[in-house]
């Protein structure tokens, strides 16, 4: 059994940091939105994709300089403010299964965020960015999940993914993996659990302390038993 973690919003409480930056700059660009709305609508998507969607809805382009500024400001704030989600270290101490990380984040941001939060050494070298895999397609494409399973010589059916975003859940389901939704980080919103279940998560946890027992239960679960 392989346990695959998303990074932002699962291991590191970083989604809300990025959402605040994106909200500030999108509002400045004429697309008024709150950090809570960014987290609700766009959690798990890259900055580029978020700004592309905003531009499509505005009916006009958003300058590339603003996208770059959002990336740079997010990096700066993550370097100062990123912290692990409560209970991450204790959960990892209890989790006996092989594990890795699959993220949409740029490789350099992914490593920096994990290092600032003190978690990088607990996963390296098995830290995978979707941008480094194949054509660089991010979640909801299944590519990064399938790559991780291949590297760790695990049948996708024997992998359990922990995700906080609809796009991440969809990607893991498309990869043929079981998914646990997580709604315990600062960016969670009313209806978050239901959205993850609707996307294909088999169950949802609110605390990382619940995860080892949930993984254990799902490791013995089979659709043939339902």
């Amino acid at each position: 059994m392989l346990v695959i973690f998303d990074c932002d919003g699962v291991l590191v409480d970083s989604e809300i940091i990025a959402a605040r930056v994106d909200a500030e700059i999108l509002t400045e660009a004429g697309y008024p939105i709150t950090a809570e709305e960014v987290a609700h609508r766009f959690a798990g998507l890259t900055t580029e994709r978020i700004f592309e969607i905003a531009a499509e809805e505005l009916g006009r382009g958003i300058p590339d300089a603003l996208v770059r500024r959002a990336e740079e400001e997010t990096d700066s704030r993550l370097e100062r403010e990123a912290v692990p989600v409560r209970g991450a270290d204790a959960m990892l101490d209890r989790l006996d299964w092989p594990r890795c990380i699959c993220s949409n984040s740029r490789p350099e941001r992914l490593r920096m965020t994990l290092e600032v939060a003190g978690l990088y050494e607990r996963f390296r070298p098995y830290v995978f960015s979707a941008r480094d895999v194949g054509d660089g397609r991010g979640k909801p494409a299944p590519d990064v999940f399938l790559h991780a399973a291949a590297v760790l010589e695990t049948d996708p059916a024997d992998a359990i993914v922990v995700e906080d975003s609809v796009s991440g859940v969809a990607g893991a389901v498309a990869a043929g993996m079981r998914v646990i939704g997580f709604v315990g980080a600062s960016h969670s919103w009313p209806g978050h659990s239901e959205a993850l279940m609707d996307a294909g998560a088999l169950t949802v946890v609110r605390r990382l302390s619940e995860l080892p027992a949930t993984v254990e239960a799902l490791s013995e679960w089979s659709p043939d038993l339902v």
Side-chain angles (χ1 to χ4, degrees):
M1 184 64 62
L2 170 66
V3 184
I4 300 177
F5 291 88
D6 180 42
C7 174
D8 300 297
V10 172
L11 293 168
V12 185
D13 205 356
S14 45
E15 280 285 0
I16 193 62
I17 296 171
R20 287 169 181 153
V21 173
D22 290 342
E24 291 168 10
I25 296 178
L26 285 169
T27 298
E28 179 184 325
Y31 184 86
I33 191 168
T34 67
E36 291 73 22
E37 289 168 334
V38 170
H40 183 178
R41 290 194 58 199
F42 303 129
L45 300 182
T46 64
T47 302
E48 296 96 324
R49 183 58 187 142
I50 292 169
F51 277 68
E52 283 174 3
I53 294 170
E56 290 166 5
E57 294 180 3
L58 283 172
R60 58 174 172 80
I62 294 176
D64 289 343
L66 290 183
V67 181
R68 289 194 299 272
R69 201 176 106 207
E71 289 274 20
E72 292 166 1
E73 179 62 22
T74 298
D75 284 344
S76 177
R77 293 196 196 179
L78 287 171
E79 195 165 11
R80 299 192 308 269
E81 302 173 18
V83 294
V85 170
R86 179 177 296 182
D89 275 308
M91 176 273 294
L92 293 171
D93 287 342
R94 293 170 52 205
L95 199 69
D96 292 331
W97 307 102
R99 59 185 182 244
C100 69
I101 290 173
C102 288
S103 172
N104 270 357
S105 285
R106 289 180 285 108
E108 57 272 23
R109 175 184 288 177
L110 180 56
R111 177 164 181 164
M112 179 269 288
T113 302
L114 287 165
E115 286 181 339
V116 171
L119 297 173
Y120 182 72
E121 293 297 324
R122 305 205 66 162
F123 286 91
R124 75 176 182 94
Y126 303 119
V127 177
F128 305 107
S129 167
R131 305 192 191 208
D132 280 343
V133 175
D135 295 330
R137 297 194 304 163
K139 308 167 191 175
D143 306 22
V144 69
F145 295 117
L146 294 172
H147 174 76
V151 170
L152 284 112
E153 300 181 337
T154 302
D155 187 317
D158 290 329
I160 294 175
V161 179
V162 187
E163 272 285 355
D164 69 300
S165 72
V166 168
S167 61
V169 172
V173 170
M177 299 176 176
R178 285 163 280 181
V179 188
I180 299 170
F182 179 68
V183 296
S186 298
H187 69 292
S188 191
W189 66 89
H192 193 178
S193 295
E194 291 80 2
L196 299 183
M197 293 290 287
D198 288 346
L202 294 174
T203 188
V204 173
V205 299
R206 297 181 181 276
R207 298 177 182 82
L208 288 180
S209 59
E210 302 169 35
L211 199 58
T214 306
V215 170
E216 182 73 32
L218 277 189
S219 72
E220 300 171 359
W221 176 88
S222 167
D224 296 333
L225 301 178
V226 177

